[in-house]
Amino acid sequence: MSTCPQYIVDYMHEYLDGDISREHEQQLKKHLQVCSDCRQHMQELSDTIAFVKSAAHITAPPHFEDKVMQRLPKGKNRVGIQKWFRRHPIIVAAAVFLLFMSATMLSNYPSDEFSVTTQPNLIVDGQTVIVPAGEVVKGDIVVKNGDLIIEGEVDGDVTVINGQYMASTSVVTGQIEEIDQVFEWLWFEMKDMANDFMALFKE
Amino acid sequence: MDALVNKRIKQVLKGDQNAFSDIVSLYQHKLYQICYRMLGNKQEAEDIAQEAFVRAYINLHSFDQKRKFSTWLYRIATNLCIDRIRKKKPDYYLDAEVAGTEGLNMYSQIASSEQLPEETVQQMELQERIQYEISRLPDKYRSVIVLKYMEELSLQEISEILDMPLGTVKTRIHRGREALRKQLNNL
């Protein structure tokens, strides 16, 4: 057989794969008629295939299906949440918006640094801001992380954040607010924002 | 059958886990058979076949329903089998001494996985012999021979399952046939 060309063996495989051309098939048949070695090779290949094909069909062991079902991941929450997200895009958008909103507000939340609105006739003594008796402050006063004592007059709103507001005989023409909690602070910010918003329309 | 499978797939994707049991029931025998022929061991075959179904379930959303489900499923299974075969390399040293013995190493504990003596092979039953000859094939030939002659899949399908060009599949089948022929002739 060693004298036979390699392409004869290639044709055998093409034949076995069922995609041999008519031309090759005729060449192969002609060759097999004259060459007993190749005939034997061909026969062995066919026997090999028959041998493998005689393998019995194997079935899965009993309860295979149940075992697979038990192995499936139970917690489908992940999928559930994804699905919920996909079904309620507006709620998701609103939630994301709120998240960013509150993040901005909280970043505005006063740190423990002391600050006060600069007004010409205020007296600052450490962390205490005093409106001296007999003086009139024109404009709003905001004190953060400090106390405010009013002995004189304020012609505007007064806001004290994280501090105490002390006034006995004072005159404040605007509103007085004392804020010392996060929620109140948020509420204040929101009202403030709403007021600004309304102001836009008023103008 | 494809229509039924696609219907079940849609149900599973909607969250109905029980619909998956029909899919398992339809393909369990074929999938188990591929794994058993590839691995030659019942426990491993069961484990890998189950794992293949679990992976199919988890990744079902990535299955393109315009394609054939069985091809996709077999691909998961053959990949897992090939991984398992590669990982089978011993994770302990055979020449390490066995604890509590003197001069006994692991070589004396295992049956040789190399060729069995001729007489033993000739006494095997046909089915046993088939599996033995298949398991002696190098795994790249084993997978194509199993898919072609035991699952009776088309060359095109095999090329999709194994993710290799049709030409490569043909070459491997040709070589696999020759290798098997030589194995059978040596006896």
Side-chain angles (χ1 to χ4, degrees):
Chain A
M1 198 190 84
S2 52
T3 55
C4 297
Q6 169 62 33
Y7 67 78
I8 291 297
V9 178
D10 292 341
Y11 291 175
M12 289 183 199
H13 285 288
E14 286 177 10
Y15 177 79
L16 293 171
D17 286 342
D19 59 9
I20 191 169
S21 67
R22 187 174 287 261
E23 203 181 314
H24 287 178
E25 191 175 350
Q26 277 170 350
Q27 273 181 281
L28 177 64
K29 276 189 176 156
K30 242 183 235 169
H31 183 82
L32 290 184
Q33 274 168 2
V34 295
C35 176
S36 65
D37 283 344
C38 284
R39 241 187 348 257
Q40 195 188 339
H41 190 145
M42 185 73 200
Q43 188 58 48
E44 282 172 9
L45 284 173
S46 305
D47 288 349
T48 304
I49 293 171
F51 171 79
V52 179
K53 278 191 159 182
S54 65
H57 276 279
I58 293 180
T59 52
H63 311 301
F64 182 87
E65 194 184 315
D66 295 338
K67 286 181 193 165
V68 171
M69 294 310 284
Q70 275 165 22
R71 269 177 79 166
L72 295 186
K74 289 285 177 282
K76 291 200 291 134
N77 283 343
R78 197 178 53 85
V79 181
I81 288 170
Q82 281 178 351
K83 228 177 241 171
W84 191 86
F85 273 13
R86 245 176 274 145
R87 279 189 197 159
H88 305 279
I90 294 175
I91 297 181
V92 174
V96 171
F97 175 73
L98 267 178
L99 187 77
F100 280 109
M101 275 274 285
S102 52
T104 355
M105 279 185 198
L106 282 175
S107 68
N108 277 347
Y109 186 72
S111 51
D112 22 353
E113 210 176 297
F114 168 77
S115 70
V116 64
T117 329
T118 27
Q119 296 284 10
N121 32 22
L122 282 180
I123 299 172
V124 179
D125 177 17
Q127 301 226 337
T128 310
V129 181
I130 303 163
V131 180
E135 295 276 357
V136 178
V137 176
K138 294 209 181 212
D140 300 342
I141 303 176
V142 177
V143 180
K144 285 183 188 177
N145 301 304
D147 299 336
L148 176 67
I149 300 170
I150 301 177
E151 285 159 358
E153 256 179 73
V154 179
D155 186 11
D157 297 344
V158 169
T159 309
V160 181
I161 299 157
N162 266 358
Q164 269 190 312
Y165 161 70
M166 286 164 276
S168 45
T169 57
S170 65
V171 183
V172 177
T173 55
Q175 287 177 319
I176 303 168
E177 270 184 289
E178 223 178 317
I179 300 163
D180 54 12
Q181 272 175 351
V182 179
F183 285 112
E184 280 186 51
W185 163 251
L186 277 177
W187 180 233
F188 168 75
E189 278 279 306
M190 272 151 78
K191 274 197 295 189
D192 204 36
M193 228 175 265
N195 280 339
D196 287 352
F197 193 64
M198 298 299 269
L200 273 178
F201 286 99
K202 274 180 199 160
E203 281 163 16
Chain B
M1 193 168 97
D2 282 351
L4 175 75
V5 171
N6 277 340
K7 195 176 155 196
R8 293 286 176 268
I9 290 171
K10 280 186 191 116
Q11 285 172 327
V12 174
L13 288 176
K14 273 184 199 148
D16 179 5
Q17 199 177 53
N18 288 329
F20 196 68
S21 70
D22 282 351
I23 296 176
V24 178
S25 153
L26 269 173
Y27 292 104
Q28 57 176 343
H29 300 305
K30 292 206 165 217
L31 204 74
Y32 176 77
Q33 171 159 276
I34 293 178
C35 296
Y36 177 71
R37 293 301 183 189
M38 291 288 288
L39 300 165
N41 174 304
K42 286 181 180 168
Q43 274 78 43
E44 275 188 316
E46 187 176 358
D47 184 46
I48 294 292
Q50 285 178 5
E51 178 68 22
F53 276 117
V54 172
R55 299 240 178 144
Y57 174 81
I58 293 170
N59 297 304
L60 201 59
H61 57 90
S62 68
F63 167 65
D64 176 2
Q65 288 185 37
K66 281 177 230 117
R67 316 194 97 194
K68 212 171 163 186
F69 181 73
S70 59
T71 305
W72 187 72
L73 185 64
Y74 295 170
R75 185 170 176 171
I76 296 175
T78 48
N79 281 341
L80 286 173
C81 286
I82 290 165
D83 279 356
R84 174 61 65 98
I85 291 167
R86 286 188 188 145
K87 275 182 200 151
K88 252 186 183 173
K89 283 165 192 151
D91 49 1
Y92 46 82
Y93 292 99
L94 288 176
D95 43 7
E97 205 171 273
V98 178
T101 63
E102 256 177 55
L104 260 185
N105 58 33
M106 290 303 284
Y107 281 120
S108 51
Q109 302 286 306
I110 51 162
S112 167
S113 63
E114 295 304 304
Q115 286 196 22
L116 296 170
E118 208 171 300
E119 317 86 71
T120 320
V121 175
Q122 272 166 351
Q123 281 164 10
M124 279 181 179
E125 280 182 59
L126 175 66
Q127 291 304 322
E128 207 183 338
R129 173 84 189 280
I130 295 171
Q131 185 57 39
Y132 168 70
E133 298 296 350
I134 288 289
S135 67
R136 281 169 66 195
L137 281 176
D139 50 300
K140 59 179 178 180
Y141 301 151
R142 200 188 309 164
S143 47
V144 288
I145 294 288
V146 166
L147 294 174
K148 171 79 183 156
Y149 291 113
M150 293 177 160
E151 296 294 330
E152 294 174 324
L153 298 173
S154 70
L155 295 179
Q156 184 57 46
E157 255 183 294
I158 296 172
S159 114
E160 280 173 40
I161 291 170
L162 298 176
D163 194 22
M164 53 175 73
L166 197 57
T168 314
V169 173
K170 281 185 187 170
T171 313
R172 287 193 178 181
I173 286 184
H174 298 179
R175 293 194 182 145
R177 278 198 290 247
E178 291 294 345
L180 260 180
R181 181 183 75 92
K182 279 177 194 145
Q183 279 174 211
L184 294 174
N185 273 8
N186 278 346
L187 291 165

